[in-house]
Amino acid sequence: MKVDRFSPDPETEPRHWVRHDQAFAMMLRPGSIEWGSQRSALEKFDYAAGDLALCDRHKGEWVGLMNTSHLQLCISDAALMACSDGAYGEVELRPSRKFADPRLRGMVAAVHAEMVAGFPSGRLFLDSVEQAMAVTLVNGHAVRHRPVRIYRGGLGSARLRRIKELVHAKMEGDLSLDEMAQSVGLSTAHFARMFRKSTGETPHQFVLRQRLERAKAMLRAPDARVLDVAVACGFKTQQHFAQVFRDVWGVSPTEYRQDLVGSEATWASQTGSEDASRLVIAG
């Protein structure tokens, strides 16, 4: 998924745009855009923050004054086809110059926050969000499609074990949803649904939890630096690692280690007192 942010454009001369990828936009601020199928017949659309627009594909359109900041996201054909249940070729979506979709808006807001932070959560997070966006677009805006199939059951123990082995082998890397799906011979959309049914978690949540569990184990070593632990567990920055660690465990990595050292010191002190008591009694 490609993500771009656009600021208001002072250019007033109409421009002819042709897109061959499937893109949609969410407005970040109130404003307006002039659209039209003909240069001489542009229509002004007023937008509130959070309003969406689904771009026309392969057909040119004229754009005039663009007086709003917006985020533009390009959804891959692979993601759209994976959730269209057997469709071949391109998935055709109905273009719309203005519409509202609370679920889609929430996902775009999450991507925007990730973008502002410098994409610290990695590729798997964006892959997972792209797949969820594709399902929403196909279900709500496809011209022709069959409903997304609901699969019963879940992944077998052998496939779950293979996934866990892959996650642990690539803990430091940027694991993708497609790579996880391919490792068990499934499409990305089918894999994501089956994985959640089996574990109660999305693939991204599962990988994040595995990374944090490893981080806790590594922090028990007295000579391990927080930065080294962050890198070894697949976090791009120490700051992002500390934030996620605190969000999940309620304390920072440094505080976790201090609490651990304090607990060990208390245990050692109590053990020493009990040993001394035994010596006194024995004497």
Side-chain angles (χ1 to χ4, degrees):
M1 177 171 63
K2 184 180 177 183
V3 186
D4 293 298
R5 176 169 178 160
F6 290 87
S7 299
D9 187 349
E11 179 62 47
T12 57
E13 190 68 20
R15 292 141 290 173
H16 191 249
W17 286 357
V18 180
R19 297 200 64 94
H20 296 295
D21 52 2
Q22 185 58 67
F24 73 99
M26 186 180 84
M27 310 306 154
L28 301 176
R29 299 283 187 275
S32 62
I33 300 178
E34 294 177 340
W35 304 84
S37 56
Q38 298 179 11
R39 178 189 176 99
S40 58
L42 299 183
E43 182 180 357
K44 180 182 176 182
F45 288 81
D46 293 315
Y47 296 99
D51 282 345
L52 299 154
L54 185 57
C55 302
D56 213 337
R57 193 176 188 185
H58 302 311
K59 300 177 183 178
E61 58 186 349
W62 291 89
V63 180
L65 181 63
M66 188 177 295
N67 187 28
T68 181
S69 298
H70 64 279
L71 204 67
Q72 183 172 275
L73 302 96
C74 299
I75 306 297
S76 69
D77 282 323
L80 292 167
M81 290 169 62
C83 61
S84 63
D85 193 23
Y88 293 93
E90 294 178 351
V91 176
E92 185 181 354
L93 301 180
R94 291 186 302 273
S96 176
R97 289 174 180 153
K98 182 179 178 179
F99 69 98
D101 188 317
R103 186 165 181 260
L104 202 57
R105 182 173 64 236
M107 288 185 279
V108 178
V111 171
H112 185 223
E114 179 75 2
M115 182 183 190
V116 171
F119 298 105
S121 299
R123 180 177 171 183
L124 181 57
F125 173 80
L126 289 179
D127 285 349
S128 300
V129 176
E130 179 184 35
Q131 196 61 58
M133 287 178 173
V135 170
T136 302
L137 289 168
V138 168
N139 280 341
H141 302 276
V143 174
R144 292 180 299 274
H145 78 283
R146 286 177 282 178
V148 174
R149 185 185 302 162
I150 302 300
Y151 296 87
R152 300 186 182 278
L155 298 176
S157 58
R159 278 175 162 167
L160 287 173
R161 185 170 60 251
R162 203 175 309 157
I163 290 296
K164 193 166 185 177
E165 290 170 353
L166 175 66
V167 170
H168 281 269
K170 301 201 65 176
M171 188 74 75
E172 299 179 27
D174 199 6
L175 189 62
S176 71
L177 184 64
D178 188 54
E179 190 174 357
M180 294 175 72
Q182 286 182 4
S183 72
V184 291
L186 298 174
S187 70
T188 52
H190 187 186
F191 168 73
R193 287 192 291 271
M194 293 298 93
F195 188 88
R196 184 157 195 170
K197 186 178 289 291
S198 302
T199 65
E201 298 177 302
T202 66
H204 177 254
Q205 289 169 336
F206 175 80
V207 171
L208 189 61
R209 183 167 59 82
Q210 296 298 314
R211 286 174 170 165
L212 291 173
E213 290 287 356
R214 175 181 284 190
K216 285 177 69 175
M218 292 183 67
L219 286 169
R220 295 189 184 106
D223 57 344
R225 296 192 309 157
V226 173
L227 176 59
D228 294 336
V229 172
V231 173
C233 294
F235 292 91
K236 294 185 178 181
T237 67
Q238 182 175 333
Q239 292 76 17
H240 182 232
F241 168 58
Q243 177 189 336
V244 174
F245 194 96
R246 180 185 288 277
D247 289 344
V248 174
W249 303 121
V251 294
S252 70
T254 303
E255 290 169 340
Y256 174 77
R257 167 174 283 167
Q258 289 172 347
D259 291 344
L260 193 66
V261 171
S263 299
E264 291 175 348
T266 301
W267 179 84
S269 175
Q270 291 174 346
T271 303
S273 299
E274 290 171 1
D275 292 342
S277 299
R278 292 193 190 98
L279 288 172
V280 171
I281 294 170

